[in-house]
Amino acid sequence: MSERPDDTRILDQDTATLHQMGYAQELARRMRTFQNFAISFSIICIVSGGINSFSQGIASVGGASIGIGWPLSCLFSLFFAIAMGQIGSAYPTAGGLYHWASLLGGRFLGWITAWFNLIGLITVLAAINVGTYLFLLGALAPALGIDTAALTPGTPTAHSILVQTMIVGGITLSQGVVNHLGIRLTSKLTDFSGYLILGSALALTVALLAYAPHLDLSRLWTFTNYSGKAGGSTWPHTGNLTYLFLLGLLLPAYTVTGFDASAHTAEETIDAARSIPRGMIHSVVWSGLFGWTMLSAVILAVPNMDQAAAQGGNVFFWIMDHVIPAGLKLPLYVAIAIAQYLCGLATVTSASRMVFAFSRDGGLPGSRYLRKVSHSFRTPMIAIWAVALLSIAFTIYAPVYTTIAAVCVIFLYISYLLPIVAGLLAFRRSWTVMGPFDVGLLYPVVAVLAIIGAAVLLYVGVQPPNNQALTVTLGVLALTSVIWFGFERKRFQGPPINREQIAARAGLIASEEHALEGSAD
């Protein structure tokens, strides 16, 4: 890493801040502010969720789901990012949300936040890579003469699940390999991913507008009921347009998630207390703006809205086939597919840091192994592979893309919500020392707005046909309650909170950092 004049001073300050919270500097601090932004921006990846979940929007209330629903949902995501940014600036550690909730609300809240965030990250990785698989099928398989009918049935079969598992497994394991090899390679790829997402989104937008048969801006605020067969049976038939509009919010809600990656990579980021809030807020803002522009262009380019909505999950490819020339379509598809792959790559990074952080406080089974950091690559190697394998396993249990997407939205936003609520209750009471990013008395306002947004998303996330998401959520709540009250309440101590606990770790911190001296970073 080529150091700037102030790097040494800032790195020393970052390490001192980490020591003050009771942790050693085990991971390699190589990421700058842009790279911290890029990893969140890469996980949001508007050309992944925005495209793969597009049918959830158009098949609800048509163009208004993009023109009105997308910016509305992104605004609530921004409230989350601002509130989380304020807390992350005060407590810049890996696995941020878990640590924040513990400090502001106690060890039980921290423990439950960790589990929800971890499950959310594993399921979002599953959703991203299943979405990438389905995109590859829809985009490239027909050009190669591959019949996809048996691979994308309305009801999964043993054959389709096997093929999907093999391909998704290959994608996920390769992302694990790249992550294992160090944050240097990963951050370079996520940097590239940020530019690729912007470039491919802009190229797609320009191409769609240039080749659109006609442009009717009123589509962006026109409500049309596309429930039932009119929308390819994406949503069950209903006459309630308000309810349908809310269901369509799952498109932006699923897409604009994962910005907590900026916090999870805090201990690998230079000047983390300032970079974390910038990374989260900027990734939401730019994803929201570019995503709205891109998907608005998709809506405006549709030759016939009724015919397009009736395509269901195939709607994006139907639009591309009817609007974009074949010679231009293939390079666009290739760029989008690469961006989607890198989105999954960044998610492995984020999730593995969450596992590492929770494990170093003894929060997971096998913590002493999961917290191990490779001396060669300075990465949490076992955590990386645990995340990859668990993600693949979840796609076998719940192979349907829309259900996986709904589950990850529910768990991620619950994990975002818990430390925000704890911060709201502790604000100006037990939480009095803020970081460099401080919105002052606006924090309670932003926190309340985030709570309202979360309530709406949790409601729509378990509606049919995503009933299985409710089953998974209730099952996890029941299981975690049994585990906490039966085992963890007495065993789990949580992160070091008071001065005595932090001081007691001084010797351990020194020995951990000494063991890593001279290793690659």
Side-chain angles (χ1 to χ4, degrees):
M1 177 176 65
S2 58
E3 293 192 353
R4 298 172 183 173
D6 290 338
D7 274 356
T8 301
R9 177 182 60 81
I10 296 173
L11 285 168
D12 289 343
Q13 187 176 22
D14 285 331
T15 301
T17 299
L18 197 56
H19 289 175
Q20 290 167 10
M21 290 185 286
Y23 296 114
Q25 181 66 61
E26 295 182 83
L27 303 176
R29 206 176 278 272
R30 305 192 60 87
M31 300 174 69
R32 300 191 185 277
T33 299
F34 177 80
Q35 294 169 320
N36 183 272
F37 152 80
I39 194 166
S40 285
F41 188 70
S42 296
I43 293 177
I44 293 174
C45 192
I46 53 176
V47 295
S48 177
I51 289 174
N52 294 332
S53 296
F54 181 68
S55 61
Q56 294 187 347
I58 192 174
S60 59
V61 293
S65 68
I66 303 302
I68 300 173
W70 179 277
L72 178 64
S73 182
C74 288
L75 180 61
F76 279 103
S77 295
L78 181 60
F79 294 147
F80 274 94
I82 293 171
M84 291 161 62
Q86 169 124 355
I87 306 173
S89 182
Y91 307 111
T93 61
L97 288 84
Y98 150 70
H99 195 230
W100 309 339
S102 299
L103 293 175
L104 298 172
R107 62 191 181 97
F108 169 69
L109 194 70
W111 185 84
I112 199 73
T113 298
W115 275 103
F116 275 104
N117 190 235
L118 180 57
I119 295 170
L121 288 169
I122 289 171
T123 54
V124 80
L125 176 60
I128 290 165
N129 286 342
V130 169
T132 302
Y133 161 74
L134 294 175
F135 180 84
L136 289 171
L137 278 184
L140 303 179
L144 299 174
I146 299 173
D147 181 13
T148 62
L151 300 178
T152 55
T155 302
T157 63
H159 173 67
S160 68
I161 292 174
L162 176 62
V163 174
Q164 175 177 299
T165 301
M166 291 176 62
I167 296 178
V168 170
I171 291 171
T172 309
L173 293 176
S174 67
Q175 292 163 342
V177 170
V178 175
N179 269 275
H180 188 119
L181 296 177
I183 196 63
R184 180 201 296 269
L185 176 59
T186 302
S187 59
K188 284 183 178 179
L189 289 172
T190 52
D191 283 357
F192 170 70
S193 173
Y195 292 115
L196 181 63
I197 291 167
L198 288 177
S200 56
L202 285 172
L204 180 62
T205 300
V206 171
L208 287 166
L209 295 177
Y211 290 101
H214 52 78
L215 295 175
D216 179 6
L217 291 176
S218 67
R219 284 180 175 179
L220 297 175
W221 56 82
T222 299
F223 286 75
T224 307
N225 189 331
Y226 285 122
S227 62
K229 290 184 179 179
S233 299
T234 300
W235 303 114
H237 178 71
T238 177
N240 189 331
L241 278 178
T242 302
Y243 173 69
L244 270 179
F245 177 74
L246 294 177
L247 290 177
L249 294 179
L250 281 176
L251 163 61
Y254 162 65
T255 304
V256 188
T257 53
F259 47 87
D260 52 323
S262 292
H264 291 312
T265 53
E267 292 174 32
E268 293 157 282
T269 301
I270 300 171
D271 200 10
R274 290 177 175 82
S275 297
I276 290 169
R278 290 174 186 169
M280 289 195 286
I281 293 169
H282 287 197
S283 64
V284 170
V285 169
W286 291 113
S287 294
L289 289 173
F290 279 93
W292 184 71
T293 303
M294 179 188 75
L295 294 180
S296 293
V298 177
I299 290 291
L300 295 175
V302 174
N304 183 291
M305 286 291 290
D306 292 345
Q307 292 179 17
Q311 301 302 311
N314 193 50
V315 58
F316 176 77
F317 299 112
W318 183 90
I319 295 169
M320 294 290 283
D321 289 342
H322 283 76
V323 176
I324 303 298
L328 179 58
K329 193 166 52 175
L330 183 59
L332 283 172
Y333 282 164
V334 170
I336 292 169
I338 294 172
Q340 292 185 3
Y341 174 85
L342 294 175
C343 171
L345 174 75
T347 305
V348 173
T349 308
S350 180
S352 61
R353 273 49 175 184
M354 173 63 222
V355 171
F356 161 77
F358 195 28
S359 296
R360 70 180 169 187
D361 290 325
L364 289 170
S367 285
R368 67 173 184 160
Y369 301 106
L370 291 168
R371 64 150 301 165
K372 284 185 179 294
V373 173
S374 166
H375 283 218
S376 299
F377 303 109
R378 297 289 291 272
T379 55
M381 50 187 180
I382 298 177
I384 289 169
W385 291 110
V387 164
L389 294 175
L390 285 171
S391 173
I392 295 168
F394 185 75
T395 66
I396 300 172
Y397 168 71
V400 179
Y401 172 78
T402 55
T403 299
I404 299 174
V407 168
C408 80
V409 167
I410 291 167
F411 283 101
L412 281 178
Y413 274 96
I414 289 176
S415 71
Y416 295 171
L417 185 64
L418 292 177
I420 290 174
V421 171
L424 179 62
L425 297 175
F427 185 71
R428 298 292 177 90
R429 296 180 179 87
S430 58
W431 178 29
T432 56
V433 179
M434 305 298 161
F437 178 77
D438 182 6
V439 296
L441 292 176
L442 282 177
Y443 177 80
V445 177
V446 171
V448 169
L449 291 172
I451 292 168
I452 294 170
V456 173
L457 292 178
L458 295 179
Y459 168 73
V460 300
V462 298
Q463 300 305 306
N466 296 323
N467 314 61
Q468 193 176 4
L470 178 59
T471 303
V472 172
T473 303
L474 293 176
V476 169
L477 283 171
L479 181 60
T480 51
S481 297
V482 169
I483 293 173
W484 174 258
F485 289 105
F487 305 98
E488 296 297 288
R489 184 174 57 171
K490 295 181 179 179
R491 188 198 69 83
F492 179 64
Q493 298 302 310
I497 294 176
N498 56 50
R499 292 180 180 179
E500 292 75 17
Q501 290 175 325
I502 293 171
R505 287 199 176 195
L508 178 63
I509 290 171
S511 65
E512 287 174 340
E513 292 183 347
H514 178 72
L516 290 168
E517 285 180 4
S519 61
D521 62 0

